[in-house]
Amino acid sequence: MSTCRSFFKKMNQKEIASWTKAAVTGFYAMVLLLSADLAYGVLYERELVSKSAVLWTGMGAAFGSDLLYRWISAARANKENKPS
């Protein structure tokens, strides 16, 4: 029998909450960009942005906002733990 080890460490509750908000942010960024591209395509009969640009924008928004949410959370935790 072999033990199955995970490549990634377990996320704590703050990390889970941060990633959940970030994934939603990335999803909405993609939906907004796809909606704008669709409207532009209907009006002008050509693409506003490429589909790969939509994908990378959504991925960038998700990972970037995750970093931002974790940074804000850490700053708040440091502020609460700092003696006045």
Side-chain angles (χ1 to χ4, degrees), residues 8 18 20 33 42-43 52 55 69 75 77:
F8 300 103
S18 172
T20 302
L33 198 52
V42 168
L43 292 173
S52 61
L55 172 71
Y69 293 141

Side-chain angles (χ1 to χ4, degrees), residues 4-5 8 11 14 17 19 25 28-30 33 38 40 42 56-58 61 63 73 75 79-81 84:
C4 182
R5 293 186 181 175
F8 300 103
M11 294 187 343
K14 286 182 182 181
W19 176 246
T25 302
Y28 282 129
M30 288 174 58
L33 198 52
L38 179 64
Y40 190 86
V42 168
W56 288 111
T57 300
F63 287 112
S73 177
K79 187 177 181 181
E80 292 172 1
N81 294 335
S84 297

Side-chain angles (χ1 to χ4, degrees), residues 48-79:
L48 179 62
V49 294
S50 69
K51 302 307 178 216
S52 61
V54 172
L55 172 71
W56 288 111
T57 300
M59 295 293 287
F63 287 112
S65 60
D66 179 46
L67 289 173
L68 181 66
Y69 293 141
R70 284 192 289 150
W71 179 72
I72 290 170
S73 177
R76 285 182 182 161
N78 286 340
K79 187 177 181 181

Side-chain angles (χ1 to χ4, degrees), residues 4 8 13 15-16 21 29 36 41 46 50 56 62 68 82-83:
C4 182
F8 300 103
Q13 290 302 318
E15 291 171 331
I16 291 171
K21 289 190 287 186
R46 62 184 178 137
S50 69
W56 288 111
L68 181 66
K82 191 179 213 182

